[in-house]
Amino acid sequence: MPLYKTLTPNSQTTVKIWKIEESYDQLINGLELKPESLDRVLGMKSELHQRGFLSVRHLLNAFGYTDHDLFYDANGKPHLKDGKHISITHSFTFSGVIISDTEVGIDIERQRQKIAVIAKKFVAYEFEYLDKEASDYINKLTVIWGIKESLYKLFATPGMLFREHFLVIPFSIIDAQTVCWIDYKGLKKRYTANYLEFEGFTCAYVIE
């Protein structure tokens, strides 16, 4: 069971991260999946996606839940039957789950140079403080993407756009925390975002 990391940002919130080292067969063995979840995983063309999906179910078990406790609403947002708030992510060889008494969002991303190519699609205000020549430019872009993805997951509202409706104030990678905002159709909300780096990946999460 490669539970890679457990974080407790506050007394109501826990983050668990899984390093996906097992094969598909190892991961599915012993898991109790709902019929629709089994159909979903069997229908995935990529074994990497299958393993990500299954590792999330192992993380649920680590929290004391099962696949049967999880359901999704019409916008694709996950929920737990006991009313706790949950957000889910997986990227290549890592997956993560955050569970809290309040609304949350989480994202894990691999740090890759190609994020610079698409930066204009999700960065606007942030370009005012980003230095494209800095050694941490890719790392900072990855943090910004992760925070905005986390905000999007928290709200799960169709029409919200990363570039236009979310912003992240200046930060240093070493801070591991910054402030972010949602500005959408008259709604203005301030959040604290947390982030960490490990093995070429970035995890960001936002707690309401």
Side-chain angles (χ1 to χ4, degrees), residues 106-161:
I106 190 171
D107 187 53
I108 294 176
E109 296 292 335
R110 196 180 209 170
Q111 297 158 1
R112 294 186 286 178
Q113 291 291 326
K114 77 175 193 178
I115 196 170
V117 179
I118 64 165
K120 288 182 180 178
K121 294 183 177 180
F122 68 93
V123 174
Y125 154 76
E126 295 83 10
F127 277 134
E128 294 179 14
Y129 64 80
L130 287 171
D131 178 0
K132 294 182 180 180
E133 305 303 319
S135 59
D136 63 357
Y137 179 58
I138 298 300
N139 301 66
K140 283 193 168 184
L141 282 178
T142 310
V143 169
I144 291 167
W145 174 273
I147 290 172
K148 293 189 176 190
E149 178 72 28
S150 298
L151 286 170
Y152 187 81
K153 288 180 175 182
L154 188 153
F155 269 84
T157 302
M160 280 187 164
L161 301 173

Short mmCIF file of all heavy atoms in Angstrom, two decimals, residues 106-161:
data_model
loop_
_atom_site.label_atom_id
_atom_site.label_comp_id
_atom_site.label_asym_id
_atom_site.label_seq_id
_atom_site.Cartn_x
_atom_site.Cartn_y
_atom_site.Cartn_z
N ILE A 106 -8.78 19.90 -5.23
CA ILE A 106 -7.38 19.45 -5.24
C ILE A 106 -6.97 19.13 -6.67
O ILE A 106 -7.80 18.71 -7.49
CB ILE A 106 -7.17 18.22 -4.32
CG1 ILE A 106 -5.68 17.91 -4.14
CG2 ILE A 106 -7.93 17.00 -4.83
CD1 ILE A 106 -5.40 16.85 -3.08
N ASP A 107 -5.68 19.31 -6.95
CA ASP A 107 -5.15 18.95 -8.26
C ASP A 107 -3.69 18.55 -8.13
O ASP A 107 -2.94 19.17 -7.37
CB ASP A 107 -5.27 20.14 -9.23
CG ASP A 107 -4.89 19.76 -10.65
OD1 ASP A 107 -5.45 18.77 -11.16
OD2 ASP A 107 -4.02 20.43 -11.24
N ILE A 108 -3.32 17.51 -8.85
CA ILE A 108 -1.91 17.11 -8.98
C ILE A 108 -1.54 17.20 -10.45
O ILE A 108 -2.29 16.72 -11.31
CB ILE A 108 -1.67 15.68 -8.46
CG1 ILE A 108 -1.89 15.60 -6.94
CG2 ILE A 108 -0.24 15.22 -8.80
CD1 ILE A 108 -1.76 14.20 -6.36
N GLU A 109 -0.41 17.82 -10.74
CA GLU A 109 0.06 17.98 -12.11
C GLU A 109 1.54 17.62 -12.20
O GLU A 109 2.31 17.94 -11.29
CB GLU A 109 -0.11 19.43 -12.58
CG GLU A 109 -1.54 19.92 -12.68
CD GLU A 109 -2.34 19.25 -13.78
OE1 GLU A 109 -1.72 18.77 -14.77
OE2 GLU A 109 -3.57 19.20 -13.65
N ARG A 110 1.91 17.00 -13.30
CA ARG A 110 3.31 16.78 -13.59
C ARG A 110 3.92 18.09 -14.08
O ARG A 110 3.30 18.82 -14.85
CB ARG A 110 3.45 15.71 -14.67
CG ARG A 110 4.83 15.12 -14.81
CD ARG A 110 4.79 14.08 -15.93
NE ARG A 110 5.76 13.03 -15.71
CZ ARG A 110 5.81 11.92 -16.43
NH1 ARG A 110 4.91 11.72 -17.40
NH2 ARG A 110 6.72 11.02 -16.20
N GLN A 111 5.12 18.40 -13.61
CA GLN A 111 5.80 19.62 -14.05
C GLN A 111 6.41 19.37 -15.43
O GLN A 111 7.33 18.57 -15.58
CB GLN A 111 6.89 20.00 -13.04
CG GLN A 111 6.35 20.32 -11.66
CD GLN A 111 7.38 20.18 -10.56
OE1 GLN A 111 8.53 19.85 -10.82
NE2 GLN A 111 6.97 20.40 -9.33
N ARG A 112 5.86 20.06 -16.44
CA ARG A 112 6.32 19.84 -17.82
C ARG A 112 6.51 21.16 -18.53
O ARG A 112 5.75 22.11 -18.34
CB ARG A 112 5.30 18.98 -18.58
CG ARG A 112 5.19 17.56 -18.03
CD ARG A 112 4.29 16.71 -18.90
NE ARG A 112 2.88 17.05 -18.72
CZ ARG A 112 1.89 16.48 -19.40
NH1 ARG A 112 2.17 15.57 -20.31
NH2 ARG A 112 0.64 16.82 -19.16
N GLN A 113 7.52 21.21 -19.40
CA GLN A 113 7.83 22.44 -20.14
C GLN A 113 6.66 22.91 -21.01
O GLN A 113 6.48 24.11 -21.22
CB GLN A 113 9.06 22.20 -21.03
CG GLN A 113 10.36 22.02 -20.26
CD GLN A 113 10.83 23.28 -19.56
OE1 GLN A 113 10.65 24.39 -20.06
NE2 GLN A 113 11.45 23.12 -18.40
N LYS A 114 5.86 21.97 -21.47
CA LYS A 114 4.81 22.34 -22.42
C LYS A 114 3.72 23.22 -21.80
O LYS A 114 2.93 23.82 -22.52
CB LYS A 114 4.19 21.10 -23.06
CG LYS A 114 3.21 20.32 -22.23
CD LYS A 114 2.61 19.20 -23.06
CE LYS A 114 1.40 18.59 -22.39
NZ LYS A 114 0.78 17.53 -23.21
N ILE A 115 3.72 23.33 -20.47
CA ILE A 115 2.73 24.21 -19.84
C ILE A 115 2.97 25.66 -20.26
O ILE A 115 2.03 26.46 -20.32
CB ILE A 115 2.74 24.06 -18.30
CG1 ILE A 115 1.46 24.68 -17.70
CG2 ILE A 115 3.98 24.70 -17.68
CD1 ILE A 115 1.26 24.37 -16.22
N ALA A 116 4.22 26.00 -20.59
CA ALA A 116 4.53 27.36 -21.02
C ALA A 116 3.85 27.69 -22.35
O ALA A 116 3.50 28.85 -22.62
CB ALA A 116 6.04 27.54 -21.15
N VAL A 117 3.64 26.67 -23.18
CA VAL A 117 3.02 26.86 -24.50
C VAL A 117 1.55 27.25 -24.36
O VAL A 117 1.03 28.05 -25.14
CB VAL A 117 3.17 25.59 -25.35
CG1 VAL A 117 2.50 25.76 -26.71
CG2 VAL A 117 4.64 25.23 -25.52
N ILE A 118 0.89 26.70 -23.33
CA ILE A 118 -0.55 26.96 -23.15
C ILE A 118 -0.83 28.00 -22.07
O ILE A 118 -1.98 28.23 -21.72
CB ILE A 118 -1.31 25.66 -22.82
CG1 ILE A 118 -0.84 25.08 -21.46
CG2 ILE A 118 -1.17 24.64 -23.94
CD1 ILE A 118 -1.77 24.02 -20.89
N ALA A 119 0.23 28.64 -21.55
CA ALA A 119 0.06 29.56 -20.42
C ALA A 119 -0.97 30.66 -20.70
O ALA A 119 -1.75 31.02 -19.82
CB ALA A 119 1.40 30.19 -20.05
N LYS A 120 -1.00 31.16 -21.92
CA LYS A 120 -1.93 32.25 -22.25
C LYS A 120 -3.39 31.83 -22.12
O LYS A 120 -4.27 32.68 -22.04
CB LYS A 120 -1.65 32.77 -23.66
CG LYS A 120 -0.37 33.56 -23.77
CD LYS A 120 -0.16 34.10 -25.18
CE LYS A 120 1.13 34.89 -25.27
NZ LYS A 120 1.37 35.39 -26.65
N LYS A 121 -3.64 30.54 -22.11
CA LYS A 121 -5.02 30.06 -21.99
C LYS A 121 -5.54 30.11 -20.56
O LYS A 121 -6.76 30.11 -20.35
CB LYS A 121 -5.12 28.63 -22.53
CG LYS A 121 -4.85 28.51 -24.02
CD LYS A 121 -5.05 27.08 -24.50
CE LYS A 121 -4.84 26.98 -26.01
NZ LYS A 121 -5.03 25.58 -26.50
N PHE A 122 -4.63 30.15 -19.59
CA PHE A 122 -5.11 30.15 -18.20
C PHE A 122 -4.49 31.24 -17.33
O PHE A 122 -4.83 31.39 -16.16
CB PHE A 122 -4.91 28.78 -17.55
CG PHE A 122 -3.47 28.39 -17.30
CD1 PHE A 122 -2.86 28.65 -16.09
CD2 PHE A 122 -2.73 27.73 -18.28
CE1 PHE A 122 -1.54 28.28 -15.84
CE2 PHE A 122 -1.42 27.35 -18.05
CZ PHE A 122 -0.82 27.63 -16.83
N VAL A 123 -3.56 32.02 -17.89
CA VAL A 123 -2.89 33.08 -17.14
C VAL A 123 -3.23 34.43 -17.76
O VAL A 123 -3.18 34.60 -18.98
CB VAL A 123 -1.36 32.88 -17.15
CG1 VAL A 123 -0.67 34.08 -16.50
CG2 VAL A 123 -0.98 31.60 -16.43
N ALA A 124 -3.58 35.40 -16.93
CA ALA A 124 -3.79 36.79 -17.38
C ALA A 124 -3.06 37.71 -16.41
O ALA A 124 -1.91 38.08 -16.63
CB ALA A 124 -5.28 37.11 -17.45
N TYR A 125 -3.71 38.06 -15.30
CA TYR A 125 -3.11 38.92 -14.28
C TYR A 125 -1.74 38.42 -13.84
O TYR A 125 -0.81 39.20 -13.62
CB TYR A 125 -4.07 39.03 -13.09
CG TYR A 125 -3.39 39.34 -11.78
CD1 TYR A 125 -2.95 40.63 -11.50
CD2 TYR A 125 -3.18 38.34 -10.82
CE1 TYR A 125 -2.31 40.92 -10.29
CE2 TYR A 125 -2.54 38.62 -9.62
CZ TYR A 125 -2.10 39.91 -9.37
OH TYR A 125 -1.47 40.19 -8.18
N GLU A 126 -1.59 37.11 -13.71
CA GLU A 126 -0.36 36.53 -13.16
C GLU A 126 0.88 36.85 -13.99
O GLU A 126 2.00 36.84 -13.47
CB GLU A 126 -0.51 35.01 -12.99
CG GLU A 126 -1.56 34.60 -11.97
CD GLU A 126 -2.98 34.59 -12.53
OE1 GLU A 126 -3.12 34.74 -13.77
OE2 GLU A 126 -3.93 34.44 -11.75
N PHE A 127 0.70 37.14 -15.27
CA PHE A 127 1.85 37.50 -16.10
C PHE A 127 2.53 38.78 -15.60
O PHE A 127 3.70 39.03 -15.90
CB PHE A 127 1.43 37.70 -17.56
CG PHE A 127 1.34 36.42 -18.35
CD1 PHE A 127 0.25 36.17 -19.17
CD2 PHE A 127 2.36 35.47 -18.29
CE1 PHE A 127 0.17 34.99 -19.91
CE2 PHE A 127 2.29 34.30 -19.02
CZ PHE A 127 1.19 34.05 -19.83
N GLU A 128 1.82 39.58 -14.80
CA GLU A 128 2.39 40.82 -14.29
C GLU A 128 3.55 40.55 -13.33
O GLU A 128 4.45 41.39 -13.18
CB GLU A 128 1.33 41.65 -13.58
CG GLU A 128 0.23 42.17 -14.50
CD GLU A 128 -0.83 42.97 -13.77
OE1 GLU A 128 -0.58 43.35 -12.59
OE2 GLU A 128 -1.91 43.22 -14.34
N TYR A 129 3.53 39.39 -12.67
CA TYR A 129 4.62 39.10 -11.74
C TYR A 129 5.47 37.89 -12.13
O TYR A 129 6.51 37.64 -11.52
CB TYR A 129 4.08 38.93 -10.31
CG TYR A 129 3.14 37.75 -10.09
CD1 TYR A 129 3.62 36.46 -9.93
CD2 TYR A 129 1.76 37.95 -10.00
CE1 TYR A 129 2.75 35.39 -9.70
CE2 TYR A 129 0.89 36.90 -9.77
CZ TYR A 129 1.39 35.62 -9.63
OH TYR A 129 0.53 34.57 -9.39
N LEU A 130 5.07 37.15 -13.14
CA LEU A 130 5.86 36.00 -13.57
C LEU A 130 7.06 36.46 -14.40
O LEU A 130 6.96 37.38 -15.21
CB LEU A 130 5.00 35.04 -14.40
CG LEU A 130 3.97 34.21 -13.63
CD1 LEU A 130 3.06 33.48 -14.61
CD2 LEU A 130 4.66 33.21 -12.70
N ASP A 131 8.18 35.79 -14.20
CA ASP A 131 9.40 36.06 -14.97
C ASP A 131 9.68 34.83 -15.84
O ASP A 131 10.07 33.78 -15.33
CB ASP A 131 10.57 36.33 -14.02
CG ASP A 131 11.88 36.57 -14.76
OD1 ASP A 131 11.88 36.54 -16.01
OD2 ASP A 131 12.90 36.79 -14.07
N LYS A 132 9.50 34.98 -17.15
CA LYS A 132 9.66 33.85 -18.07
C LYS A 132 11.09 33.33 -18.12
O LYS A 132 11.33 32.20 -18.55
CB LYS A 132 9.20 34.25 -19.48
CG LYS A 132 7.72 34.52 -19.57
CD LYS A 132 7.31 34.88 -20.99
CE LYS A 132 5.81 35.16 -21.07
NZ LYS A 132 5.39 35.51 -22.44
N GLU A 133 12.03 34.15 -17.69
CA GLU A 133 13.44 33.73 -17.71
C GLU A 133 13.88 33.08 -16.40
O GLU A 133 14.98 32.55 -16.30
CB GLU A 133 14.34 34.94 -18.00
CG GLU A 133 14.00 35.68 -19.28
CD GLU A 133 14.03 34.79 -20.50
OE1 GLU A 133 14.95 33.96 -20.60
OE2 GLU A 133 13.13 34.93 -21.36
N ALA A 134 13.02 33.13 -15.39
CA ALA A 134 13.39 32.59 -14.08
C ALA A 134 13.44 31.07 -14.10
O ALA A 134 12.70 30.41 -14.85
CB ALA A 134 12.41 33.07 -13.01
N SER A 135 14.29 30.51 -13.26
CA SER A 135 14.46 29.05 -13.22
C SER A 135 13.21 28.35 -12.70
O SER A 135 13.01 27.16 -12.96
CB SER A 135 15.65 28.69 -12.34
OG SER A 135 15.47 29.17 -11.01
N ASP A 136 12.37 29.08 -11.97
CA ASP A 136 11.17 28.45 -11.40
C ASP A 136 9.90 28.80 -12.20
O ASP A 136 8.79 28.62 -11.70
CB ASP A 136 10.99 28.84 -9.93
CG ASP A 136 10.77 30.35 -9.73
OD1 ASP A 136 10.82 31.10 -10.73
OD2 ASP A 136 10.55 30.75 -8.57
N TYR A 137 10.06 29.29 -13.43
CA TYR A 137 8.90 29.71 -14.23
C TYR A 137 7.92 28.55 -14.45
O TYR A 137 6.71 28.70 -14.24
CB TYR A 137 9.37 30.27 -15.57
CG TYR A 137 8.26 30.71 -16.50
CD1 TYR A 137 7.33 31.68 -16.12
CD2 TYR A 137 8.14 30.16 -17.79
CE1 TYR A 137 6.32 32.09 -16.97
CE2 TYR A 137 7.13 30.57 -18.64
CZ TYR A 137 6.22 31.53 -18.24
OH TYR A 137 5.22 31.93 -19.07
N ILE A 138 8.42 27.40 -14.84
CA ILE A 138 7.55 26.23 -15.08
C ILE A 138 6.89 25.79 -13.78
O ILE A 138 5.70 25.46 -13.75
CB ILE A 138 8.35 25.07 -15.70
CG1 ILE A 138 8.92 25.48 -17.07
CG2 ILE A 138 7.49 23.82 -15.83
CD1 ILE A 138 7.89 25.88 -18.10
N ASN A 139 7.66 25.81 -12.70
CA ASN A 139 7.10 25.42 -11.40
C ASN A 139 5.96 26.35 -11.00
O ASN A 139 4.92 25.90 -10.51
CB ASN A 139 8.18 25.44 -10.32
CG ASN A 139 9.34 24.53 -10.63
OD1 ASN A 139 10.06 24.76 -11.59
ND2 ASN A 139 9.54 23.51 -9.82
N LYS A 140 6.16 27.65 -11.22
CA LYS A 140 5.12 28.61 -10.83
C LYS A 140 3.88 28.48 -11.72
O LYS A 140 2.74 28.56 -11.23
CB LYS A 140 5.66 30.03 -10.89
CG LYS A 140 6.54 30.39 -9.70
CD LYS A 140 6.81 31.88 -9.63
CE LYS A 140 7.42 32.25 -8.29
NZ LYS A 140 7.61 33.72 -8.16
N LEU A 141 4.08 28.28 -13.01
CA LEU A 141 2.94 28.05 -13.89
C LEU A 141 2.15 26.82 -13.44
O LEU A 141 0.91 26.81 -13.47
CB LEU A 141 3.40 27.85 -15.34
CG LEU A 141 3.78 29.10 -16.13
CD1 LEU A 141 4.25 28.70 -17.52
CD2 LEU A 141 2.60 30.08 -16.23
N THR A 142 2.87 25.79 -13.03
CA THR A 142 2.21 24.55 -12.59
C THR A 142 1.42 24.78 -11.31
O THR A 142 0.31 24.26 -11.15
CB THR A 142 3.24 23.42 -12.41
OG1 THR A 142 4.07 23.32 -13.58
CG2 THR A 142 2.55 22.08 -12.20
N VAL A 143 1.97 25.57 -10.41
CA VAL A 143 1.23 25.93 -9.18
C VAL A 143 -0.04 26.70 -9.53
O VAL A 143 -1.13 26.41 -9.02
CB VAL A 143 2.12 26.75 -8.22
CG1 VAL A 143 1.27 27.36 -7.09
CG2 VAL A 143 3.22 25.90 -7.63
N ILE A 144 0.09 27.69 -10.42
CA ILE A 144 -1.07 28.50 -10.81
C ILE A 144 -2.14 27.63 -11.45
O ILE A 144 -3.34 27.75 -11.12
CB ILE A 144 -0.64 29.64 -11.76
CG1 ILE A 144 0.20 30.67 -10.99
CG2 ILE A 144 -1.85 30.32 -12.39
CD1 ILE A 144 0.94 31.65 -11.88
N TRP A 145 -1.74 26.76 -12.37
CA TRP A 145 -2.72 25.84 -12.98
C TRP A 145 -3.40 25.00 -11.91
O TRP A 145 -4.62 24.84 -11.90
CB TRP A 145 -2.05 24.94 -14.01
CG TRP A 145 -3.01 23.91 -14.53
CD1 TRP A 145 -3.27 22.66 -13.99
CD2 TRP A 145 -3.88 24.04 -15.65
NE1 TRP A 145 -4.24 22.02 -14.70
CE2 TRP A 145 -4.63 22.83 -15.74
CE3 TRP A 145 -4.10 25.04 -16.60
CZ2 TRP A 145 -5.58 22.62 -16.73
CZ3 TRP A 145 -5.03 24.82 -17.59
CH2 TRP A 145 -5.76 23.63 -17.65
N GLY A 146 -2.60 24.43 -11.00
CA GLY A 146 -3.16 23.55 -9.96
C GLY A 146 -4.14 24.27 -9.06
O GLY A 146 -5.18 23.73 -8.68
N ILE A 147 -3.82 25.52 -8.71
CA ILE A 147 -4.72 26.30 -7.86
C ILE A 147 -6.02 26.60 -8.60
O ILE A 147 -7.12 26.45 -8.05
CB ILE A 147 -4.05 27.61 -7.40
CG1 ILE A 147 -2.92 27.30 -6.41
CG2 ILE A 147 -5.08 28.56 -6.77
CD1 ILE A 147 -2.08 28.49 -6.03
N LYS A 148 -5.91 27.00 -9.86
CA LYS A 148 -7.12 27.33 -10.63
C LYS A 148 -7.95 26.08 -10.90
O LYS A 148 -9.19 26.13 -10.86
CB LYS A 148 -6.74 28.04 -11.92
CG LYS A 148 -6.14 29.42 -11.67
CD LYS A 148 -5.95 30.24 -12.94
CE LYS A 148 -5.44 31.64 -12.63
NZ LYS A 148 -5.47 32.54 -13.79
N GLU A 149 -7.30 24.97 -11.15
CA GLU A 149 -8.04 23.71 -11.32
C GLU A 149 -8.76 23.34 -10.02
O GLU A 149 -9.89 22.87 -10.03
CB GLU A 149 -7.07 22.60 -11.72
CG GLU A 149 -7.70 21.22 -11.89
CD GLU A 149 -8.57 21.10 -13.13
OE1 GLU A 149 -8.34 21.80 -14.12
OE2 GLU A 149 -9.51 20.27 -13.09
N SER A 150 -8.10 23.57 -8.89
CA SER A 150 -8.71 23.28 -7.59
C SER A 150 -9.93 24.17 -7.35
O SER A 150 -10.96 23.72 -6.84
CB SER A 150 -7.69 23.47 -6.47
OG SER A 150 -6.61 22.57 -6.61
N LEU A 151 -9.81 25.46 -7.71
CA LEU A 151 -10.95 26.38 -7.58
C LEU A 151 -12.11 25.92 -8.46
O LEU A 151 -13.27 25.95 -8.06
CB LEU A 151 -10.54 27.80 -7.96
CG LEU A 151 -9.68 28.56 -6.95
CD1 LEU A 151 -9.15 29.85 -7.58
CD2 LEU A 151 -10.46 28.86 -5.67
N TYR A 152 -11.78 25.50 -9.67
CA TYR A 152 -12.82 25.05 -10.59
C TYR A 152 -13.53 23.81 -10.04
O TYR A 152 -14.76 23.69 -10.12
CB TYR A 152 -12.20 24.73 -11.95
CG TYR A 152 -13.22 24.41 -13.01
CD1 TYR A 152 -13.91 25.42 -13.68
CD2 TYR A 152 -13.54 23.09 -13.33
CE1 TYR A 152 -14.87 25.14 -14.64
CE2 TYR A 152 -14.50 22.79 -14.29
CZ TYR A 152 -15.15 23.82 -14.94
OH TYR A 152 -16.10 23.53 -15.88
N LYS A 153 -12.76 22.90 -9.46
CA LYS A 153 -13.36 21.70 -8.88
C LYS A 153 -14.22 22.04 -7.66
O LYS A 153 -15.26 21.43 -7.43
CB LYS A 153 -12.27 20.70 -8.48
CG LYS A 153 -11.58 20.03 -9.66
CD LYS A 153 -10.52 19.07 -9.16
CE LYS A 153 -9.89 18.29 -10.30
NZ LYS A 153 -8.88 17.33 -9.81
N LEU A 154 -13.77 23.01 -6.88
CA LEU A 154 -14.51 23.41 -5.70
C LEU A 154 -15.89 23.94 -6.08
O LEU A 154 -16.89 23.59 -5.46
CB LEU A 154 -13.71 24.46 -4.93
CG LEU A 154 -14.20 24.89 -3.56
CD1 LEU A 154 -13.03 25.36 -2.69
CD2 LEU A 154 -15.24 26.01 -3.64
N PHE A 155 -15.94 24.77 -7.13
CA PHE A 155 -17.21 25.37 -7.53
C PHE A 155 -18.00 24.52 -8.51
O PHE A 155 -19.23 24.52 -8.49
CB PHE A 155 -16.98 26.76 -8.11
CG PHE A 155 -17.06 27.84 -7.07
CD1 PHE A 155 -15.96 28.14 -6.31
CD2 PHE A 155 -18.25 28.50 -6.83
CE1 PHE A 155 -16.03 29.12 -5.32
CE2 PHE A 155 -18.33 29.47 -5.85
CZ PHE A 155 -17.22 29.79 -5.09
N ALA A 156 -17.31 23.81 -9.41
CA ALA A 156 -17.96 22.96 -10.41
C ALA A 156 -19.14 23.68 -11.07
O ALA A 156 -20.26 23.17 -11.12
CB ALA A 156 -18.43 21.66 -9.76
N THR A 157 -18.88 24.88 -11.55
CA THR A 157 -19.92 25.70 -12.17
C THR A 157 -19.61 25.90 -13.65
O THR A 157 -18.60 26.54 -13.99
CB THR A 157 -20.00 27.08 -11.49
OG1 THR A 157 -20.27 26.89 -10.09
CG2 THR A 157 -21.08 27.94 -12.10
N PRO A 158 -20.42 25.35 -14.54
CA PRO A 158 -20.17 25.54 -15.98
C PRO A 158 -20.11 27.02 -16.33
O PRO A 158 -20.90 27.82 -15.84
CB PRO A 158 -21.39 24.87 -16.63
CG PRO A 158 -21.87 23.88 -15.62
CD PRO A 158 -21.60 24.50 -14.28
N GLY A 159 -19.13 27.39 -17.16
CA GLY A 159 -18.98 28.78 -17.55
C GLY A 159 -17.81 29.48 -16.90
O GLY A 159 -17.34 30.51 -17.38
N MET A 160 -17.32 28.94 -15.78
CA MET A 160 -16.15 29.53 -15.14
C MET A 160 -14.91 29.25 -15.99
O MET A 160 -14.69 28.12 -16.44
CB MET A 160 -15.95 28.94 -13.75
CG MET A 160 -16.83 29.57 -12.70
SD MET A 160 -16.40 29.00 -11.04
CE MET A 160 -17.23 30.23 -10.04
N LEU A 161 -14.08 30.28 -16.19
CA LEU A 161 -12.88 30.16 -17.02
C LEU A 161 -11.64 30.49 -16.19
O LEU A 161 -11.63 31.47 -15.44
CB LEU A 161 -12.97 31.09 -18.23
CG LEU A 161 -14.17 30.86 -19.16
CD1 LEU A 161 -14.24 31.97 -20.21
CD2 LEU A 161 -14.08 29.50 -19.83
#
